[in-house]
Every structure is written in C-alpha cells, then in structure tokens.
Amino acid sequence: MNNVSRHNAKAYWKENLRLMLVLLSIWFVVSFGCGIIFVDELNAIPLAGFKLGFWFAQQGAMYVFVALIFVYIRAMKKLDRKYGLEEDSPSYKEKP
C-alpha cells in the first residue's frame, strides 16, 4: 500500500474486516450451529442415507470451509482490484 492514501487504506481495511466477519460468522454457524446446536433438528433430514446433522459434523462443514476459502480469495481479488492493489498494478509495486 505504498501509494494508497490513508483514507483508501482505512476503507480497504474496513471492507476486509467486514468480509472476514461475514465469512467467520458463516464458519461458526456451520461448524458450531449445524454440528452441535441444531443437530437434532438436522438429523430429521436424511442426506444420502445419513442424518444431515451427522453429515455436517463429519463432512459438510469441511466442504463449506473450503468453499469459504475460495469465496474469500475471489472477494479479496475483487477488493484489491477496486483499490488498485493487484500485485501487477503500478500502485502495488514498491518504489526503488
């Protein structure tokens, strides 16, 4: 962030924090909520022969976590592009 103004740096960081909070909230709901809190309600729903609560606790949460990583990568690329901070942009490169 060499050539990025202080205002843009704050806005960039604010959007980054908002994105992380949303994704971490989803992560918490899936891991803790679906695997522990709502497991009895989800177990009433069968998925490929397994109870849905069990499936979330054993496999589903991992699929959601991997999906969240790809969502974060894509959103951060979009955010970097918005503020001109892509690795190949002139504002990203360090001055000699």
Side-chain angles (χ1 to χ4, degrees):
M1 285 196 206
N2 296 331
N3 296 333
V4 178
S5 71
R6 184 176 213 91
H7 176 71
N8 278 348
K10 283 186 177 183
Y12 175 82
W13 184 239
K14 188 176 179 178
E15 286 192 45
N16 188 2
L17 283 178
R18 185 178 315 125
L19 174 65
M20 285 193 298
L21 286 175
V22 168
L23 295 178
L24 286 173
S25 298
I26 293 169
W27 170 81
F28 178 78
V29 168
V30 169
S31 65
F32 197 71
C34 293
I36 297 172
I37 296 174
F38 308 116
V39 70
D40 292 331
E41 290 82 11
L42 291 174
N43 279 341
I45 304 168
L47 177 69
F50 297 99
K51 297 175 181 177
L52 187 58
F54 174 78
W55 184 81
F56 262 109
Q58 298 300 316
Q59 296 178 358
M62 289 185 285
Y63 292 132
V64 172
F65 300 156
V66 171
L68 288 176
I69 290 170
F70 286 107
V71 167
Y72 181 72
I73 291 169
R74 184 178 176 138
M76 285 306 297
K77 283 184 179 178
K78 187 176 177 181
L79 189 62
D80 288 348
R81 198 174 318 117
K82 178 180 176 182
Y83 287 94
L85 298 172
E86 304 104 333
E87 291 182 10
D88 55 348
S89 73
S91 63
Y92 181 80
K93 295 178 182 172
E94 293 183 28
K95 292 182 179 178

